[in-house]
Amino acid sequence: MVKAVSDVSYTLNESEILGVVGESGCGKSVHALSMMRLIPIPPGKITKGEVFLYGQNLLDLSEEEMRSVRGSQIAMIFQDPMTSLNPVLTVGDQITEALKLHLNMSDDEANSRAAELLTIVGIPEAATRLEDYPHQFSGGMRQRAMIAMALSCSPSILIADEPTTALDVTIQAQIIDLVKRLQDQLGMAVIWITHDLGVVAGLVQRVNVMYAGRIIETGAVKKIYGNPHHPYTVGLLGSLPKLDSRREERLYSIQGEPPDLVGDIEGCAFAERCTYAVERCFHEVPVLEEVDMNHSVSCWEKDKVRKVI
């Protein structure tokens, strides 16, 4: 059995933008899909845990009750809009579906609101574009349409699962600015999942760093970037290209490979790749401990870790 996510626990505050970062396969997307109850069962399975939203545990809800929560209270933007949008339905049909389901709007009301949403996310001639199919939109426009769908019922929480990965740098910046502007206007909380630490630096207030299915460092973004205490976080930040670095300087790299998540991992999952590891690291799983206000780290040798950036 593969434990994709284990012992992940945190609180999301109202109107907060939280970043979740880590390399591919660390559990970022799986933990979000688990909260949305979108894990395919089988082969996946949520074995235990609690996800509280306004006092109710989402894992205790029936599938019908959960459908009423998705879209209306929690919405999600997926990584690849081409595979997330239905190719045989118009963009308008896909946006109005949630409006009719959750807000009981008539066809005319839903179409009017859908056109308004497309205008808000920056798609010109929105009313005429409602009749277009996803393949008639560019990659950036498809992602904007996905954002419009996610915001259609004014959810309290928006989960953005690497929404800019498939886009070029210019469009990435536009999408990030759009989400930030809409978050300011609507006051919703955002969970921004990414492997791009450059994006996170200017977008979020708080960061969860994940490795091998666990949160290994969490805290205010300025503290994580300015004074990281976990060797993995140090490695991630050290691997970012810097404008003031000399051309011949090589980027810092983390040696080794991520662990095999089949079965239980004894000790710290990062120990095999860590230059600070001691005997204890290979046998005891470190717990998240506070090193400063709004800054916690899961590392036995956290006091010895130093930045390489």
Side-chain angles (χ1 to χ4, degrees), residues 28-42:
K28 304 187 301 295
S29 297
V30 171
H31 106 278
L33 292 170
S34 298
M35 289 192 291
M36 295 284 286
R37 297 263 302 271
L38 291 175
I39 292 290
I41 303 174

Side-chain angles (χ1 to χ4, degrees), residues 29-305:
S29 297
V30 171
H31 106 278
L33 292 170
S34 298
M35 289 192 291
M36 295 284 286
R37 297 263 302 271
L38 291 175
I39 292 290
I41 303 174
K45 185 179 181 182
I46 301 173
T47 57
K48 60 180 179 179
E50 297 172 325
V51 182
F52 282 103
L53 176 64
Y54 298 127
Q56 66 176 352
N57 183 5
L58 300 185
L59 300 187
D60 288 340
L61 301 182
S62 67
E63 185 54 41
E64 184 177 351
E65 291 172 327
M66 191 62 205
R67 276 197 296 269
S68 69
V69 171
R70 293 191 204 106
S72 61
Q73 297 182 53
I74 308 178
M76 193 165 183
I77 308 170
F78 296 95
Q79 186 173 139
D80 185 358
M82 196 63 227
T83 58
S84 302
L85 291 168
N86 191 324
V88 300
L89 295 178
T90 66
V91 170
D93 285 340
Q94 296 183 64
I95 297 175
T96 57
E97 180 182 13
L99 295 169
K100 295 173 186 176
L101 176 66
H102 294 299
L103 303 180
N104 295 316
M105 286 188 177
S106 66
D107 288 346
D108 289 342
E109 290 172 332
N111 285 329
S112 177
R113 176 58 176 161
E116 180 185 350
L117 287 164
L118 288 184
T119 301
I120 289 171
V121 299
I123 294 180
E125 301 178 1
T128 59
R129 299 310 301 267
L130 290 175
E131 299 302 316
D132 288 346
Y133 290 86
H135 72 271
Q136 295 173 282
F137 279 44
S138 67
M141 290 175 69
R142 284 194 294 266
Q143 197 58 284
R144 289 172 185 269
M146 285 288 295
I147 294 171
M149 289 174 60
L151 298 180
S152 60
C153 298
S154 302
S156 302
I157 300 172
L158 176 67
I159 300 175
D161 185 8
E162 302 201 41
T164 61
T165 298
L167 307 175
D168 64 54
V169 175
T170 303
I171 304 302
Q172 282 186 28
Q174 293 175 5
I175 296 298
I176 291 166
D177 287 343
L178 172 63
V179 171
K180 195 170 185 179
R181 176 167 54 82
L182 293 173
Q183 190 271 340
D184 287 339
Q185 292 175 359
L186 303 175
M188 61 189 172
V190 177
I191 299 176
W192 189 279
I193 299 170
T194 184
H195 61 269
D196 190 337
L197 276 78
V199 168
V200 167
L203 178 66
V204 310
Q205 287 95 43
R206 195 158 51 93
V207 180
N208 288 341
V209 182
M210 291 190 67
Y211 183 78
R214 295 175 180 267
I215 294 175
I216 50 92
E217 187 159 9
T218 181
V221 65
K222 290 183 179 180
K223 293 188 177 182
I224 296 292
Y225 280 64
N227 191 24
H229 275 67
H230 196 285
Y232 178 66
T233 310
V234 169
L236 287 180
L237 293 170
S239 66
L240 289 175
K242 295 171 282 294
L243 291 176
D244 59 351
S245 58
R246 297 190 301 273
R247 185 180 296 271
E248 66 274 12
E249 279 187 15
R250 294 181 64 86
L251 293 176
Y252 180 83
S253 62
I254 302 173
Q255 302 300 314
E257 297 181 356
D260 186 349
L261 297 182
V262 176
D264 293 326
I265 298 174
E266 185 179 0
C268 175
F270 191 66
E272 295 286 349
R273 309 173 71 184
C274 183
T275 57
Y276 295 92
V278 295
E279 186 66 24
R280 183 184 189 185
C281 301
F282 294 93
H283 303 292
E284 294 182 50
V285 178
V287 295
L288 272 173
E289 293 182 328
E290 193 170 74
V291 293
D292 195 2
M293 186 177 295
N294 299 322
H295 188 181
S296 298
V297 182
S298 173
C299 177
W300 295 126
E301 297 295 299
K302 55 185 173 293
D303 295 329
K304 298 179 182 178
V305 176

